[in-house]
Amino acid sequence: MDNDSGDDAVWQTALDWLMREHEETLSDVDREALHAWLAVSSLHRRVFHEAEQLWMLTGLIPSGDERN
């Protein structure tokens, strides 16, 4: 992602959600808040997806088999 566009806050929020999602089980309220944040704009969805891809590529997120 090109953070020169001033989207650092969106990038940081996406990373925060991603870390929370993978470090703990989100409550129903938290999951609804994440979905609401993603629904705000296509930028939020794109950045969150990019963060997920980056983490998977770097091995920071275990595969589905490893999480179960």
Side-chain angles (χ1 to χ4, degrees):
M1 172 169 172
D2 179 8
N3 285 334
D4 292 339
S5 64
D7 297 324
D8 289 339
V10 173
W11 180 250
Q12 185 59 54
T13 302
L15 289 175
D16 290 345
W17 275 117
L18 188 61
M19 289 187 322
R20 286 181 64 196
E21 184 178 46
H22 291 282
E23 290 178 353
E24 62 189 69
T25 302
L26 294 179
S27 69
D28 290 339
V29 171
D30 287 338
R31 185 150 309 278
E32 287 178 24
L34 170 58
H35 289 288
W37 182 79
L38 291 170
V40 167
S41 76
S42 61
L43 175 64
H44 290 186
R45 292 185 298 278
R46 180 176 53 86
V47 170
F48 187 80
H49 177 71
E50 288 176 5
E52 282 183 316
Q53 294 300 310
L54 178 63
W55 278 39
M56 283 188 218
L57 289 172
T58 60
L60 294 174
I61 297 176
S63 67
D65 293 340
E66 293 177 58
R67 285 188 258 164
N68 295 327

